Amino acid sequence: MKLIEQAKLKSNDTTYKDSKARDAFYQSQTWRMKRKHILERDNYECQVTRAEGGVCQEKLIVHHIKPLEYFPSLALNDDNLITVTQSKHNIIHELSVAKFQDEWW
């Protein structure tokens, strides 16, 4: 069973389960500072594209490797955050491009 599926079954922490709580987190000064730190750490480059041998610095998102809603204790953990492009982020989550058009906090 995948890690995320296990977390969904075991997670009792409801801190970030609803969109209002997640929005408040992503709009917080704490997240904005952490996001800036991760972007600087990753040299404002998509780390997935970099691992593939390329360079891309457009439409960057700081992605939670272990999802915020299932691993709230890792919300600000540097080891759980990675810089990716919007398109790579959508691929990771198997989402349509339209889903994250307005996710720029």
Side-chain angles (χ1 to χ4, degrees):
M1 187 178 263
K2 292 182 179 180
L3 181 64
I4 303 307
E5 296 305 317
Q6 290 175 344
K8 287 179 183 178
L9 294 174
K10 295 179 181 179
S11 179
N12 293 325
D13 190 331
T14 59
T15 306
Y16 301 113
K17 295 281 183 177
D18 65 67
S19 61
K20 186 175 179 180
R22 286 191 301 274
D23 288 350
F25 170 79
Y26 285 120
Q27 293 172 5
S28 72
Q29 185 65 24
T30 303
W31 171 251
R32 290 172 191 254
M33 290 173 57
K34 177 57 75 170
R35 181 181 184 278
K36 183 179 181 198
H37 167 73
I38 298 300
L39 289 168
E40 289 172 352
R41 179 198 71 187
D42 292 344
N43 198 32
Y44 291 89
E45 293 178 355
C46 173
Q47 298 303 292
V48 174
T49 303
R50 184 176 179 183
E52 295 169 343
V55 175
C56 187
Q57 297 177 311
E58 296 179 21
K59 295 186 179 182
L60 298 175
I61 293 173
V62 174
H63 167 68
H64 285 91
I65 298 166
K66 293 182 179 177
L68 178 66
E69 59 267 31
Y70 302 115
F71 299 91
S73 64
L74 300 177
L76 299 169
N77 183 310
D78 286 5
D79 293 334
N80 190 47
L81 299 168
I82 187 171
T83 303
V84 297
T85 62
Q86 178 180 337
S87 60
K88 294 291 186 186
H89 190 253
N90 290 340
I91 291 167
I92 290 167
H93 288 287
E94 299 176 354
L95 301 170
S96 67
V97 173
K99 171 75 173 157
F100 289 101
Q101 289 296 336
D102 61 349
E103 187 185 322
W104 298 106
W105 20 76

